[in-house]
């Protein structure tokens, strides 16, 4: 790793940008030099909290600055493709918030462009930098849960209602990226249903979306995302034949490991068979383990990872291919919604 200071520019500092700004500004060997935002009030916010960071209205100022070699894109999803393309074409490394793009072909193009230009492209799939998710993956990979049957997630809250993308594009990139990471594969099929209550006049601004993803291994994942729910919930339940785990991101104890399961025993003799089962079903309800995890702020880990990848020219964990896979699932989910919930096969193109 070189010891030189990495100069970073950032485009967009609205609701989420300040979290990225704070975490990147805290890193050693980094200087966030310039933030671009079209809105004067957002530029004033940056100046107040970070007097040494320059602010500009036009992101071209960042692209033209030869000292800035890496750029964070934290603008609304629909702008990611065009802005990231400009960043890469300007010869700079890019950290892009999720989703990488709103079309699979655009995500593929960005991934190819980054490879051709020898640039680092990283997508902000934040939860892959969450120690609880990583611990869960280690347990799955070590076989602690046994054969996986299914998993389901709930990412619910009252607000924030968006007017540019539906709840699936806004919230499900997290769950899909977690699911792909935990299972080490990408879904083959998706079906989606939704409720569009608050903005019925707009095309596809669904407030609540239910996604059912089928992975090639046969594991099924169900994602429920909503900004129209009475309670904040960020949970994922993973059920295997040996153990079951609940990951609750808003709880103090993020993982709960249940030594629970149902094993199929011997066949019930025909004369004793009831309507309940043809086989003895042996329920096991053992101990509950709550591991004592140290979970640093995921954005700190994410920022460190991007900086290390830039300085050491390493491929990020959440690289363009990762972003393509998530985009392809969401695009297929849109198609399923348009077809009244019909299952849609997901083609994830190779991006080089
Ligand atoms: N990783 C996470 O957990 C997480 C959480 C929330 C949001 N996000 C992502 O962060 C991104 C931004 O979301 P948000 O909620 O902050 O949106 P936002 O609308 O609150 O903020 C976007 C900002 O970008 C600015 N902007 C837009 N186009 C610009 C341009 N061309 N040049 C300069 N500034 C421009 C706007 O003025 C605004 O201030 C989205 O991609 C969203 O998906 C990620």
């Amino acid at each position: 790793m070189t010891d030189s200071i990495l100069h970073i520019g950032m485009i967009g500092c609205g609701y989420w940008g300040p979290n990225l700004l704070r975490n990147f500004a805290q890193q050693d060997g980094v200087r966030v030099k310039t933030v671009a935002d079209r809105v004067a009030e957002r530029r004033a916010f940056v100046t107040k909290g970070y007097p040494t960071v320059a602010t500009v209205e036009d992101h071209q100022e960042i692209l033209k600055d030869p000292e800035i070699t890496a750029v964070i894109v934290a603008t609304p999803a629909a702008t990611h493709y065009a802005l990231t393309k400009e960043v890469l074409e300007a010869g700079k490394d890019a950290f892009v918030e999720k989703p990488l793009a709103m079309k699979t072909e655009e995500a593929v193009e960005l991934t190819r462009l980054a490879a051709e230009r020898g640039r680092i492209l990283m997508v902000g799939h934040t939860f892959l930098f969450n120690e609880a998710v990583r611990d869960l993956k280690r347990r799955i990979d070590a076989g602690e849960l046994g054969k996986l049957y299914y998993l389901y997630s709930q990412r619910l809250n009252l607000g924030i209602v968006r007017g540019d993308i539906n709840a699936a594009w806004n919230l499900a990139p997290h769950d899909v990226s977690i699911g792909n990471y935990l299972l080490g594969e990408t879904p083959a099929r998706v079906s989606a249903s939704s409720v569009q209550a608050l903005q019925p006049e707009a095309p596809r601004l669904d407030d609540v979306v239910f996604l059912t993803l089928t992975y090639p291994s046969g594991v099924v994942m169900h994602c429920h995302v909503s900004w129209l729910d009475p309670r904040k919930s960020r949970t994922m339940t993973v059920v295997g034949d040996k153990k079951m785990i609940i990951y609750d991101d808003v709880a103090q104890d993020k993982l709960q490991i249940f030594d629970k399961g149902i094993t199929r025993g011997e066949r019930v003799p025909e004369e004793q068979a009831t309507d309940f089962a043809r086989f003895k079903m042996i329920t096991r309800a053992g101990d509950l383990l709550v591991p004592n995890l140290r979970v640093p702020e995921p954005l700190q880990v994410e920022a460190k990872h991007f900086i290390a990848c830039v300085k050491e020219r390493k491929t990020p964990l959440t690289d363009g291919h990762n972003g393509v896979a998530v985009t392809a699932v969401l695009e297929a989910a849109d198609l399923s919604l348009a077809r009244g919930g019909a299952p849609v096969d997901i083609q994830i193109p190779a991006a080089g």
Side-chain angles (χ1 to χ4, degrees):
M1 188 188 296
T2 66
D3 289 333
S4 60
I5 297 286
L6 172 68
H7 289 81
I8 293 184
M10 181 169 163
I11 309 176
C13 196
Y15 160 72
W16 189 246
N19 296 321
L20 292 170
L21 179 57
R22 173 173 53 79
N23 279 285
F24 274 95
Q26 284 171 359
Q27 301 302 320
D28 292 332
V30 165
R31 176 182 166 213
V32 180
K33 185 178 177 188
T34 309
V35 171
D37 201 295
R38 284 177 173 167
V39 176
E41 182 269 320
R42 298 315 300 159
R43 296 197 298 276
F45 165 87
V46 174
T47 306
K48 190 167 178 216
Y50 303 86
T52 60
V53 176
T55 60
V56 293
E57 184 176 355
D58 185 352
H59 71 276
Q60 293 296 337
E61 303 284 326
I62 288 177
L63 302 185
K64 282 190 295 195
D65 185 338
E67 200 177 24
I68 294 176
T69 56
V71 178
I72 300 163
V73 177
T75 53
T79 66
H80 289 180
Y81 163 69
L83 285 172
T84 307
K85 193 172 171 196
E86 283 187 66
V87 169
L88 295 171
E89 284 176 340
K92 300 180 193 299
D93 298 317
F95 173 96
V96 193
E97 256 312 326
K98 52 80 189 164
L100 174 56
M102 297 290 292
K103 289 195 174 120
T104 309
E105 63 190 48
E106 293 176 347
V108 168
E109 190 188 327
L110 293 175
T111 305
R112 288 199 178 132
L113 185 61
E116 279 161 23
R117 304 278 169 118
R119 295 299 98 201
I120 303 296
L121 173 61
M122 175 164 157
V123 189
H125 290 152
T126 322
F127 283 86
L128 273 52
F129 302 94
N130 183 311
E131 187 48 35
V133 173
R134 290 178 169 193
D135 189 87
L136 176 54
K137 179 168 174 61
R138 284 193 289 272
R139 290 175 191 276
I140 291 172
D141 289 350
E144 193 176 326
L145 283 82
K147 174 183 155 41
L148 289 193
Y149 288 137
Y150 73 100
L151 55 163
Y152 65 93
S153 64
Q154 292 174 310
R155 190 170 297 277
L156 321 171
N157 207 351
L158 195 63
I160 303 170
V161 179
R162 292 205 70 112
D164 55 343
I165 47 173
N166 70 15
W169 281 95
N170 188 36
L171 301 168
H174 292 311
D175 304 295
V176 175
S177 64
I178 296 172
N180 293 356
Y181 172 67
L182 291 180
L183 300 175
E185 54 181 345
T186 56
R189 203 161 52 254
V190 60
S191 61
S193 55
S194 71
V195 176
Q196 185 172 357
L198 302 177
Q199 301 170 87
E201 66 290 347
R204 281 272 73 89
L205 269 183
D206 315 80
D207 308 291
V208 185
V209 183
F210 302 96
L211 301 176
T212 305
L213 311 176
T214 308
Y215 284 83
S217 61
V219 174
V220 170
M221 173 166 168
H222 187 268
C223 306
H224 173 191
V225 291
S226 172
W227 57 49
L228 183 57
D229 201 275
R231 203 163 58 175
K232 179 166 180 168
S233 175
R234 299 271 182 271
T235 63
M236 184 172 280
T237 303
V238 188
V239 174
D241 68 353
K242 284 193 189 153
K243 286 187 186 170
M244 306 178 179
I245 297 188
I246 296 178
Y247 157 47
D248 184 347
D249 197 62
V250 295
Q252 182 72 28
D253 296 318
K254 303 221 178 296
L255 291 186
Q256 293 191 313
I257 303 166
F258 297 84
D259 183 9
K260 285 189 173 189
I262 296 180
T263 318
R264 203 171 83 164
E266 64 198 34
R267 187 178 259 284
V268 178
E270 205 52 47
E271 62 279 11
Q272 294 170 20
T274 68
D275 284 345
F276 285 111
R278 297 279 160 207
F279 292 85
K280 285 185 179 158
M281 293 292 165
I282 303 147
T283 303
R284 190 182 69 262
D287 290 342
L288 167 66
L289 176 78
V290 180
N292 187 13
L293 297 176
R294 196 185 71 83
V295 182
E297 184 176 355
L299 281 184
Q300 280 284 337
V301 184
E302 187 180 57
K304 272 191 186 20
H305 183 67
F306 178 66
I307 292 159
C309 289
V310 165
K311 291 197 170 184
E312 296 166 24
R313 311 313 293 166
K314 287 190 310 192
T315 304
L317 173 66
T318 54
D319 64 355
H321 300 280
N322 210 264
V324 168
V326 171
T327 307
V329 172
L330 293 168
E331 198 174 38
D334 269 354
L335 196 56
S336 175
L337 288 175
R339 293 179 183 169
V344 171
D345 288 340
I346 303 168
Q347 311 294 344
I348 299 180

